[in-house]
Amino acid sequence: MANLEVDFLGMHFPNPFMLASGPPTRTAAMIRRAFDAGWGGAVTKTILFQPSPDRRPRLKAHRNEGRNIGMENIEVLSQLSVEQWQNDLAEIKAACPERPVWASLGASEKSEWIRLTEMIQETGIDALELNVSCPHGMPGRGMGAFIGQNAELTGQVVAWVKGVAKIPVIVKLTPNVTDIAFVAKAAQNSGADGLCASNSVASLNGIDLDTLDPTPSVGGFSIYGGYSGPGIKPIALRCVAKIAKATGLPVSGLGGIDEWADTVEFFAVGAVTVQVCTTVMWRGYGFINDLKAGLNGYLDKKGYPDIRSILGVALPKIVDFPSLPLTWRVQARVDESCNGCLKCVTSCNDAGFQAIRGTKGKKVTIDSDKCDGCGLCEMVCPLNSITMVAL
Ligand SMILES: Cc1cc2nc3c(=O)[nH]c(=O)nc-3n(C[C@H](O)[C@H](O)[C@H](O)COP(=O)(O)O)c2cc1C
């Protein structure tokens, strides 16, 4: 069996799978239950002075053909007091000393950041995760993405916290910026020990067709919220790749992890640990069993002894456009499983190169003189009968 243990800024993790800051880490009792289930580490729900009350409802799914592909939330930060968290964190660390616990912190003023850091680090937790990335609710109070969307302010906050921190400081960044690498570098220049990406993507979930109210509807009103879950994975992967490349700092990666295979992709772009929020909300703490079994099976099958073997391996292969070889050619090939549904014919006719012909119920044919190798037919084929083959 491959070795799933990882080290992150001197912290030893029995496995790289962490619960992200959010509803699954709302209380100490919940975090302890997650550790019993096998999670390698956890980040608390964001701790702050003067919590804002939550609104109801605050969660709404984005569905496609009956399946949840993402979720918008308008939830704010922890409802528990800093003093309550002080007790709870000390209790978790006493009960589970071998599982790294990161406290997520949120504040606006310098004095608050410093006092919060001092009060929370006393509890014996392993690291601080600075939430400068929450897209809703908090920016109006000078917190969350209000900070993370401003590189200078981000650097300032990191410097304040680093001035008093005795444990590693990890900065959780927002994808809702023009260049996340620029903000990551500002955090690094101010002394950040590690980075985390990404928080949720700013969104408007939808409009109810009966009432024309925005959703989730709080008595007919809503706000722009944070989109999470499987739909944001490509955005989050890009964030992790960009900040890992730009800074070389250790990164904890998250955003849209929905199965073990997603975690391999995050490791390959430089994440040392990975975090999950939405999928745990949908499937519970038992999701850890799928993650561990799937990753173990993959590493064993590929002959990798540990996670280090795949860390950042994809990064040098992410290049700029002119570096993509113009001589590399592929074309579509169709196999015997094609049932002649003609979806590929429609797409190729109306958005491709009119290279596929066929009659309903019979295997289609591809004209290699016309096929440009764009890849559209492969994605619309419901039976995976079409593959792009190198010439
Ligand atoms: C309901 C909800 C509440 C969240 N609360 C917090 C929070 O308090 N602090 C924080 O840093 N991130 C918070 N997040 C963001 C998650 O930690 C995570 O960055 C984001 O959801 C993307 O990961 P996912 O696709 O695995 O959910 C919250 C997410 C959700 C869905």
Side-chain angles (χ1 to χ4, degrees), residues 364-380:
V364 300
T365 55
I366 296 169
D367 182 341
S368 55
D369 289 337
K370 289 186 174 171
C371 174
D372 187 66
C374 69
L376 176 60
C377 53
E378 185 184 44
M379 84 179 71
V380 298

Side-chain angles (χ1 to χ4, degrees), residues 20-23 45-46 59 71 73 75 77 104 131 172 198-200 228-229 232 254-256 276-278 281:
S21 178
K45 179 89 188 148
T46 301
L59 304 173
M71 173 173 78
N73 84 86
E75 175 165 305
L77 307 181
S104 169
N131 176 353
K172 183 172 181 181
S198 101
N199 212 314
S200 49
S228 64
I232 73 163
L254 79 160
V276 189
C277 179
T278 300
M281 292 175 70

Side-chain angles (χ1 to χ4, degrees), residues 168-301:
V169 174
I170 295 133
V171 184
K172 183 172 181 181
L173 298 169
T174 170
N176 306 309
V177 288
T178 311
D179 183 4
I180 194 169
F182 187 70
V183 186
K185 276 198 230 160
Q188 180 178 36
N189 292 340
S190 291
D193 301 294
L195 298 169
C196 171
S198 101
N199 212 314
S200 49
V201 179
S203 59
L204 177 62
N205 174 262
I207 305 294
D208 182 296
L209 294 192
D210 275 338
T211 59
L212 298 181
D213 292 342
T215 58
S217 166
V218 181
F221 300 91
S222 199
I223 58 171
Y224 301 118
Y227 189 52
S228 64
I232 73 163
K233 194 191 75 180
I235 298 167
L237 264 185
R238 173 180 181 270
C239 290
V240 172
K242 286 204 86 170
I243 63 176
K245 264 192 167 193
T247 67
L249 289 177
V251 178
S252 189
L254 79 160
I257 291 174
D258 193 43
E259 56 172 353
W260 68 266
D262 299 326
T263 70
V264 173
E265 297 180 67
F266 276 91
F267 298 131
V269 297
V272 183
T273 66
V274 288
Q275 305 182 11
V276 189
C277 179
T278 300
T279 299
V280 173
M281 292 175 70
W282 291 347
R283 295 200 215 158
Y285 297 138
F287 178 49
I288 185 66
N289 297 322
D290 293 1
L291 291 178
K292 280 197 215 166
L295 182 61
N296 249 317
Y298 168 81
L299 293 173
D300 285 349
K301 189 170 149 211

